Amino acid sequence: MSDSQLWDDVDSYFSTLLSPEDDALQAALRDSDAEGLPHINVAPNQGKLLQLLARIQGARTVLEIGTLGGYSTIWLARALPEDGRLVTLEFDAHHADVARRNLARAGLERITEVRVGPALESLPKLADENPPPFDLVFIDADKANNAHYVEWALKLTSAGSLIVVDNVVREGGVVDPDSADPSVRGTRAALQLIAEHPRLEGTAVQTVGSKGHDGFALARVLG
Ligand code: SAH
Ligand code: DHB
Ligand code: MG
């Protein structure tokens, strides 16, 4: 058996047992696929991890950067109380439309808001509204801007907030300090910021599974 078949089988076992998808999650992926969106959503067990992290945080507010069809958004929003709020930022208007439909079908229309545009334009607008600090920020958009997104996350959170950055392995490219790949450079800059910033403590973890070899970084915001 190939490594990747084994990772798939183990992910399937974990997800079927511990993070089964209900109709709304399955429909979100089915419609995303029918609408031609790429298959780059988090896996079910990763979605459940995000949901657990939000619950452990006691999160009332979540900010997501990179919506796609709203699959990770559904996992995260389900961790929130009825009066919670999730803002998710998406560059592509078609992705945002698909996501809004998927969120509505999941009954999450009231507490979620999909904002269309380049996140680096949406973030200053959001900050101008002086929202209450976000308890969790999930960064999963264009990797070249990862460090900028961590900086914005710092502005939009407070002590105790959690920042999660997806896809930090870049097929191993993340170890190359001379990489010309903007995604690698952006991800290394984000990790460097987490390492050095006096208001962040963090780590990064590699994963294998149905999404191949990848990983995420976690950072807690200090006072
Ligand atoms: N979080 C989703 C996957 C997001 S994929 C999930 O796990 O289900 C990354 C998304 O980020 C894509 O939809 C892409 O259109 C969007 N994106 C890319 N560049 C962006 C930018 N500059 N601002 C906002 N969104 C961006
Ligand atoms: C890609 C983006 C993601 O957010 C992800 O989880 C996997 C792949 C991509 O752009 O290829
Ligand atoms: Mg991702």
Side-chain angles (χ1 to χ4, degrees):
M1 192 190 286
S2 69
D3 282 351
S4 68
Q5 182 61 52
L6 181 62
W7 301 343
D8 243 6
D9 290 350
V10 173
D11 248 10
S12 235
Y13 166 66
F14 286 163
S15 291
T16 305
L17 185 66
L18 296 163
S19 54
E21 292 171 320
D22 67 356
D23 290 348
L25 282 164
Q26 281 176 3
L29 287 187
R30 207 166 45 237
D31 274 22
S32 297
D33 185 53
E35 292 287 342
L37 273 53
H39 299 171
I40 55 176
N41 50 273
V42 295
N45 51 345
Q46 295 173 329
K48 181 73 176 281
L49 173 64
L50 292 171
Q51 184 174 92
L52 287 170
L53 290 169
R55 283 200 208 278
I56 291 163
Q57 279 298 96
R60 308 185 66 80
T61 52
V62 168
L63 173 64
E64 178 177 66
I65 306 175
T67 316
L68 193 65
Y71 182 79
S72 54
T73 322
I74 294 174
W75 282 105
L76 282 163
R78 285 179 170 170
L80 298 178
E82 265 178 38
D83 61 347
R85 181 171 185 239
L86 182 151
V87 177
T88 181
L89 309 180
E90 173 54 52
F91 173 76
D92 186 299
H94 178 56
H95 294 184
D97 279 344
V98 173
R100 286 195 191 99
R101 285 203 296 276
N102 286 334
L103 290 162
R105 181 172 35 216
L108 296 165
E109 207 167 16
R110 237 173 29 81
I111 61 168
T112 57
E113 188 190 342
V114 185
R115 297 192 177 193
V116 180
L120 285 180
E121 289 179 18
S122 304
L123 286 161
K125 286 185 202 152
L126 180 60
D128 281 346
E129 297 165 19
N130 276 313
F134 289 96
D135 301 313
L136 188 153
V137 181
F138 179 46
I139 299 173
D140 192 21
D142 51 324
K143 316 306 175 189
N145 282 316
N146 270 343
H148 299 299
Y149 295 148
V150 172
E151 276 165 2
W152 275 106
L154 267 168
K155 291 187 220 216
L156 291 163
T157 53
S158 60
S161 296
L162 179 67
I163 302 170
V164 181
V165 187
D166 197 21
N167 311 120
V168 297
V169 170
R170 314 311 318 158
E171 298 175 326
V174 73
V175 301
D176 179 5
D178 303 316
S179 175
D181 178 344
S183 296
V184 169
R185 297 176 71 85
T187 299
R188 286 179 59 89
L191 293 168
Q192 193 72 33
L193 187 61
I194 292 171
E196 287 174 356
H197 199 286
R199 289 189 55 232
L200 288 173
E201 57 177 3
T203 188
V205 177
Q206 298 182 73
T207 54
V208 291
S210 58
K211 300 280 155 181
H213 171 209
D214 210 328
F216 50 86
L218 292 173
R220 196 171 86 96
V221 177
L222 305 173

